[in-house]
Each structure stands twice: as C-alpha cells, then as structure tokens.
Amino acid sequence: MDTRNLIDNKVVQRAQADDPDAAREIIEKMHRPMMGFIFRLLGPKHRGQMEDIAQEVFLKIFRALRRFDVERGVKFSTWVLTFTRNHCLDILKKKQLPMFSMSSTLNDEGPLAIHDESSLPPDQIANGKDIGHRIDIALQAINPEQRAVFEMRERKGMDYTD
C-alpha cells in the first residue's frame, strides 16, 4: 500500500490540538500499513504480538506528536513508519533474533492475507519462490536498517529521500 499521502497535515494539526477524531483517523489510516510493515520486519514469529506492538508504536507516536513539525516538509506517514521501524529494531536487538525471510512475506493486502498460488502455473510458482529465496539471501547480507529502507521503498512506494 502506498503510504505517501495517507494523512493530511490538517489532520495532524488537529490531533496535535488533542482532537480525538483526528487521532482516530490517524490510527484508522495508519494501522494497516503499520501492521504490514511490522510483519515484514519481524516476521511470522511475532504474528501473535503484532497488535500489541502496533499499540506500543501508536502510544509512542501520540506521546511525541507535538514534536512533529508539519512545516518541515516531512511526510507524516514517513515519520510514523520511522517510529515503527525503530521500535521493531529495538525488539530485534532485545531478543537478538534475526529478521525473517523475505520469501515468506505476504502480499500487499496485509500481514494476514493468504496467497492463492493454485491459479498460477507450477513454473511461475517455482520461479517466484526461487527469486524470493535469492532476494532473501541478498537481504540477509545487509544490516536491518538497510533492509527497512528497502522495505519502505519497494513495498510502500516511498522515495529514497523519505
């Protein structure tokens, strides 16, 4: 899902002024992209904790919301996903767990979507898994921060400058 323009700056400013409807809108619009990002960074071992992790990130975001400067030109969704990435990296550092395999990622419909490969020819399924495996090997050679940037660019459609 493209997160570039999910949250309007006026909504952020209303949330900064303690408008509960604006805060609810932020949660509703950012929840799904955040869950998918958390899943791709932490992997299926954390599937049962994803909702708790998202809540922890939202708490951090709302505690720091007044520090977000809409005039600076940073997209709010980038700011949110940076909080998400940093929180996930903290979890990985604390548990000293490796990041999960990219070949086991799910589609853009979110972390709970199910692949239906039955409609694909067997050679396409095999090629896709082989390519996924090769990408996974290459990504394991880079550090978690670089992997997060890759995820944000390739999965979320964000610019490298974001």
Side-chain angles (χ1 to χ4, degrees):
M1 172 181 266
D2 186 358
T3 59
R4 283 181 273 202
N5 295 312
L6 280 179
I7 306 294
D8 184 76
N9 284 342
K10 291 179 183 178
V11 173
V12 175
Q13 290 171 327
R14 286 183 17 237
Q16 289 173 325
D18 297 325
D19 180 344
D21 292 331
R24 187 177 303 108
E25 185 175 340
I26 289 171
I27 292 169
E28 288 172 354
K29 288 186 176 179
M30 291 304 302
H31 184 263
R32 187 175 179 94
M34 182 187 293
M35 292 289 284
F37 194 54
I38 291 168
F39 183 80
R40 284 189 288 279
L41 287 175
L42 297 180
K45 290 181 181 178
H46 291 83
R47 184 181 301 249
Q49 301 167 318
M50 285 178 46
E51 198 62 51
D52 292 338
I53 293 167
Q55 286 180 10
E56 291 168 5
V57 173
F58 276 121
L59 284 172
K60 286 182 175 184
I61 288 165
F62 285 108
R63 285 183 187 134
L65 189 60
R66 293 192 195 282
R67 292 191 313 240
F68 180 77
D69 183 5
V70 296
E71 302 300 322
R72 224 176 91 202
V74 175
K75 294 175 186 139
F76 184 72
S77 58
T78 301
W79 191 73
V80 168
L81 292 178
T82 300
F83 266 86
T84 307
R85 181 202 69 205
N86 291 342
H87 188 74
C88 289
L89 292 174
D90 288 345
I91 290 170
L92 291 171
K93 288 175 188 173
K94 286 179 187 172
K95 296 189 177 192
Q96 297 180 345
L97 297 173
M99 293 184 80
F100 81 104
S101 165
M102 288 275 304
S103 62
S104 65
T105 62
L106 300 174
N107 62 28
D108 289 333
E109 304 228 0
L112 303 178
I114 299 172
H115 283 291
D116 181 15
E117 294 178 339
S118 61
S119 62
L120 296 174
D123 62 326
Q124 282 186 345
I125 295 170
N127 286 340
K129 288 182 179 180
D130 182 51
I131 291 169
H133 181 69
R134 290 178 188 204
I135 291 171
D136 188 35
I137 290 170
L139 287 174
Q140 294 305 315
I142 61 178
N143 69 44
E145 288 86 2
Q146 290 171 325
R147 271 181 260 175
V149 170
F150 176 84
E151 282 290 329
M152 291 164 73
R153 168 72 178 146
E154 298 303 320
R155 301 265 185 209
K156 301 291 181 196
M158 299 173 89
D159 296 327
Y160 284 114
T161 56
D162 293 339

